[in-house]
Amino acid sequence: MSQNAFTGGVDPGGLWTKNDVRILICYVLASVDAPLTEEDLCGVIQGRALANYFETADALAALSQLGHVAKGPAGYTVTATGRQVAQDLDSGLPLAVRDKALESALTLLALGRAKREHRVEVTEDGSGCRVTCHLSGGEGLELMSLTLYVPDKRQARMVEERFYQEPNLLYQRVLATLTGDDTGE
């Protein structure tokens, strides 16, 4: 198939045709089985340099017009026809592209879930910031809150971002340390 997609910002091994970009979008939405916004989809695909932002946005618009994806309040979902496209044609995409896109989408969904379930408060005082990480156990139960002091907002943002990446890891490590069971996880 000839190259017909704008390829600026696409790494070697990325997608070079408009049709491949459309198939990848259907594949990602079908695989995660959760709504993703246009910004999320473009971030998943462009962030891993699998396709250009403009091609991704154009492909999403075309898929919507064809009825392969549907836009709802929470974002885009794949329709039955889009799911069929993904099932029939995803094997034509390089495995590395599929794996990278799926990993990126799942990481994005996990981050969104962590931000819904847990919270971080940053309070500035005259000489730095206090960062309080609240780890939820669900249904209003707070498993743990940890407050630490950092010298500036930049470090406070770093702590917040890292906490949301793996909030349960913090709990596991603190619990293991405090119970003396720090031999493994």
Side-chain angles (χ1 to χ4, degrees):
M1 189 177 281
S2 66
Q3 175 180 330
N4 66 354
F6 180 67
T7 57
V10 180
D11 283 349
L15 302 180
W16 304 100
T17 69
K18 293 175 183 288
N19 198 43
D20 284 349
V21 178
R22 291 178 188 152
I23 294 167
L24 182 61
I25 291 171
C26 289
Y27 171 77
V28 167
L29 288 172
S31 296
V32 300
D33 202 26
L36 293 174
T37 65
E38 179 176 357
E39 180 182 344
D40 291 342
L41 280 165
C42 288
V44 162
I45 294 170
Q46 182 193 14
R48 297 299 297 262
L50 301 174
N52 177 280
Y53 168 83
F54 299 106
E55 292 298 335
T56 304
D58 284 348
L60 189 56
L63 288 168
S64 185
Q65 195 170 37
L66 291 167
H68 296 315
V69 298
K71 186 175 183 180
Y76 286 91
T77 55
V78 68
T79 64
T81 57
R83 202 173 288 282
Q84 191 65 45
V85 166
Q87 184 178 359
D88 293 345
L89 302 174
D90 71 356
S91 62
L93 299 174
L95 180 60
V97 167
R98 286 182 281 160
D99 288 349
K100 286 178 185 179
L102 187 55
E103 176 189 4
S104 185
L106 292 173
T107 299
L108 178 76
L109 289 172
L111 180 62
R113 180 178 178 200
K115 286 183 176 184
R116 284 189 308 276
E117 293 178 358
H118 312 292
R119 65 187 167 87
V120 174
E121 297 171 349
V122 177
T123 308
E124 286 187 81
D125 64 22
S127 58
C129 298
R130 295 200 185 287
V131 182
T132 304
C133 302
H134 299 272
L135 192 73
S136 171
E139 298 184 30
L141 173 66
E142 182 171 273
L143 290 177
M144 180 179 78
S145 69
L146 175 72
T147 302
L148 53 126
Y149 177 82
V150 294
D152 55 41
K153 278 189 101 164
R154 183 183 60 77
Q155 284 190 349
R157 279 192 303 273
M158 288 172 56
V159 168
E160 180 178 7
E161 288 173 15
R162 183 69 181 120
F163 170 73
Y164 281 130
Q165 287 174 5
E166 295 184 88
N168 294 329
L169 184 60
L170 174 65
Y171 182 74
Q172 290 170 354
R173 289 191 174 162
V174 168
L175 186 62
T177 300
L178 294 176
T179 61
D181 184 22
D182 53 1
T183 58
E185 293 179 35

